[in-house]
Amino acid sequence: MTVRTRFAPSPTGHVHIGNMRAAIFNWLFARHHGGRFLLRVEDTDRERSTPEACRTLLEAMAWLGMEPDEPPMYQSSRRQAHRAVAERLVAMGHAHREDKGSTGRGECIVFSMPREDIVFDDVVKGRLVKAAADLQDFVIVRSDGTPVFHLANVLDDIEMGVTHIIRGDDHVENTFRHIALFRALGAQVPRYAHLPMIVNAQGKPYSKRDGDAYVGQFRDRGILPDALFNYLALLGWSPGDGREVMTREEMVERFTLERVQSSPAQFDLTKLLWMNGEHMRRLPVEQRLAGHMADLERHGLRPSKGELRRVLDVMQDRIKVFSDTAGQTRYFFDEDYPFDEAAVRKRLRKPGVPERMAELGRRWAAAPAFDAATLERILKETAAEDGRPPADLIHATRVAVSGTSAGPGLFAMLEVLGRERVTARIERALRRWVGGGG
RNA sequence: GACCCCAUCGUCCAGCGGUCAGGACACCAGGUUUUCAUCCUGGAAACACGGGUUCGAUUCCCGUUGGGGUCGCCA
């Protein structure tokens, strides 16, 4: 029997990380067993299931690299089939028509639960039992003729040949009903694995109001799909060998449902960011360049590839997410960069510094070569002349040419900036922040 | 309320009767970087509680407490 898993979300316009993780586990499990990963769009709620919402869903999955192995099934297209089976259930005596609760809305079709305990072995939660006394009949077709979730869900799983149902544990109660349905239909009951939920930073279940819980928001923030995938996979699962940063292949190879946690996991943005940094530094250069470039372009900066490459070279791994690129490197590409006033006060206006700074600027302007080693030598000589610590001039220069007190190694940075810009910036900064030029 | 699920450092995981309870993120200290980030070293930090079972419980059982889920002609 080849494994067939499915991800069956109802498209609501935004894809929640809890759902995405369910998709990830389904994908991982199918891949690990050489099976197939399927998608079923449960779009029977016409109000929310707009074409727009479906597109968002498909995009999110493509972004995370989880294309289904077969064309997606759209549940809305299966109405007739669902209804036909409901009729069959009535004919077989497993269901009956009734004006449930005497609502006056007309007759709906109600499935009759068996009068015996229902037991199943959940791959992550273990043996789950529901006593016959706690089982209740439920509606499978509404009085307006539309099939209800439980019926549609089970029938489509049969149709798709799903062998393993991996979903959120908010479905465990439904499972008893679904099992009864599978049996009434004479179908093979699939294996179930119920995933614990993901809770927010407050330890509470995510609600619609929780901000950063949608896949699109992570993408917009510059998080790498591989990092989000990796992080989410580790929420409730671990390979057991201590590995954390992994490629898809490594995860596929190690994934087992048996190692899935049965307790809820709290989402930790800080660790995701760390994970992102880890994946970023493992990225092929070309992809890294493209990611940084995209952020620069978003901010109206268009350096050449060569320029960007030189800048990234001195920046090293200081940039943790692509979306931070422009903010941290603007001064390399634009004369209009912001100044950190606290840094100006502390470094540039330090007594005695502006005068030496001006002198240093003149010496650099006339330096025989504008490379890091030469610049450093000149700075040290200039500092030594009046017994000042080199650090004073180093810090002051950094603030003058970059506007900030944090950044890459000063001399390498100056070399990238070049003689003209460095000279002009030092003069300009002194004029603007110290006044007079002296 | 009924039924069900869950419980190891702040967080995510490891542990599947005998461990100095391990790792990662975060945090703190020191070193490297004359800045910041990286990197290196060190540190603080947990078995919710009470009963059993056992020679021995973080681990098995029961209860308590605390979280959570489900109780729709939503999905």
Side-chain angles (χ1 to χ4, degrees):
Chain A
M1 177 183 76
T2 69
V3 165
R4 290 170 71 83
T5 66
R6 51 57 163 192
F7 174 46
S10 53
T12 58
H14 35 227
V15 188
H16 190 272
I17 51 169
N19 275 124
M20 250 324 135
R21 190 188 53 157
I24 288 171
F25 282 31
N26 274 287
W27 186 88
L28 246 16
F29 184 75
R31 285 287 172 282
H32 179 82
H33 290 283
R36 308 206 125 199
F37 169 72
L38 313 174
L39 173 65
R40 180 170 72 241
V41 183
E42 305 213 329
D43 58 347
T44 50
D45 183 344
R46 301 319 317 206
E47 300 202 351
R48 290 188 298 172
S49 305
T50 61
E52 174 72 36
C54 288
R55 202 170 57 240
T56 303
L57 169 68
L58 263 15
E59 272 172 15
M61 297 193 63
W63 183 71
L64 273 172
M66 293 191 292
E67 312 271 7
D69 295 322
E70 292 173 15
M73 168 187 279
Y74 288 86
Q75 190 160 71
S76 57
S77 69
R78 304 232 327 130
R79 282 251 153 92
Q80 296 313 315
H82 295 160
R83 236 138 71 175
V85 174
E87 292 300 338
R88 223 174 79 216
L89 284 168
V90 173
M92 289 188 298
H94 285 301
H96 61 276
R97 289 175 201 286
E98 172 188 340
D99 183 354
K100 199 164 180 282
S102 307
T103 59
R105 267 186 278 181
E107 290 190 324
C108 55
I109 299 179
V110 178
F111 180 76
S112 315
M113 284 296 266
R115 292 170 45 219
E116 57 188 26
D117 298 357
I118 294 183
V119 183
F120 72 98
D121 290 304
D122 190 278
V123 186
V124 343
K125 290 192 179 293
R127 174 154 296 194
L128 262 18
V129 183
K130 195 68 153 181
D134 297 320
L135 262 19
Q136 284 192 329
D137 294 355
F138 58 97
V139 174
I140 52 176
V141 176
R142 301 186 187 89
S143 39
D144 68 0
T146 57
V148 167
F149 162 73
H150 304 294
L151 180 70
N153 192 270
V154 167
L155 294 185
D156 293 347
D157 280 334
I158 293 173
E159 175 70 18
M160 294 168 88
V162 172
T163 60
H164 297 259
I165 295 179
I166 303 165
R167 47 153 52 154
D169 67 3
D170 49 326
H171 278 296
V172 307
E173 301 290 331
N174 291 334
T175 303
F176 297 101
R177 297 167 163 175
H178 296 183
I179 287 173
L181 236 20
F182 275 107
R183 287 182 182 155
L185 261 8
Q188 169 81 39
V189 179
R191 209 70 215 288
Y192 285 95
H194 285 97
L195 274 17
M197 65 193 325
I198 296 178
V199 296
N200 64 22
Q202 287 69 47
K204 296 290 177 188
Y206 270 103
S207 68
K208 289 113 233 143
R209 264 166 278 291
D210 278 303
D212 37 52
Y214 303 129
V215 173
Q217 289 171 308
F218 293 104
R219 184 196 54 212
D220 296 345
R221 206 172 157 167
I223 299 291
L224 258 19
D226 280 343
L228 185 60
F229 186 105
N230 193 166
Y231 177 72
L232 254 20
L234 251 26
L235 231 39
W237 173 76
S238 75
D241 58 6
R243 288 294 307 272
E244 293 204 311
V245 182
M246 289 175 280
T247 62
R248 299 269 164 134
E249 293 67 37
E250 290 169 327
M251 287 185 267
V252 166
E253 190 191 325
R254 294 169 166 77
F255 190 81
T256 63
L257 249 16
E258 284 72 19
R259 291 198 63 86
V260 172
Q261 199 84 14
S262 57
S263 53
Q266 189 167 314
F267 187 85
D268 181 5
L269 183 63
T270 309
K271 187 151 186 180
L272 202 213
L273 257 17
W274 165 79
M275 180 73 78
N276 193 65
E278 292 298 308
H279 278 269
M280 215 157 109
R281 67 169 69 180
R282 287 167 172 74
L283 226 48
V285 252
E286 279 306 311
Q287 278 181 51
R288 213 159 42 199
L289 280 175
H292 288 299
M293 191 63 94
D295 184 68
L296 291 174
E297 285 173 2
R298 250 197 303 284
H299 291 83
L301 302 169
R302 305 192 67 91
S304 72
K305 229 174 176 177
E307 282 177 283
L308 175 56
R309 203 186 288 268
R310 289 217 313 281
V311 168
L312 292 180
D313 205 46
V314 299
M315 285 301 286
Q316 306 208 27
D317 46 18
R318 267 166 258 257
I319 306 172
K320 293 294 185 2
V321 261
F322 285 137
S323 54
D324 281 350
T325 309
Q328 285 186 43
T329 63
R330 159 153 253 125
Y331 60 86
F332 279 109
F333 311 113
D334 190 354
E335 288 309 306
D336 185 21
Y337 50 92
F339 276 83
D340 171 354
E341 302 211 17
V344 167
R345 233 173 294 125
K346 184 171 176 201
R347 304 300 193 186
L348 207 52
R349 286 182 175 155
K350 189 168 180 176
V353 165
E355 295 74 17
R356 297 308 290 168
M357 186 76 255
E359 171 60 19
L360 177 61
R362 284 189 288 274
R363 293 189 189 184
W364 273 343
F370 209 79
D371 58 79
T374 306
L375 296 172
E376 179 166 4
R377 201 196 72 230
I378 295 176
L379 182 141
K380 285 187 171 158
E381 287 168 3
T382 309
E385 282 173 19
D386 67 342
R388 181 175 296 282
D392 276 4
L393 290 176
I394 289 176
H395 296 313
T397 305
R398 176 186 301 288
V399 173
V401 303
S402 73
T404 166
S405 57
L410 181 70
F411 303 105
M413 177 175 110
L414 294 177
E415 186 177 325
V416 170
L417 248 16
R419 191 191 303 263
E420 259 178 59
R421 284 194 288 183
V422 170
T423 306
R425 285 183 185 189
I426 290 174
E427 282 177 16
R428 184 152 32 92
L430 287 173
R431 222 180 305 122
R432 175 173 172 193
W433 299 105
V434 183

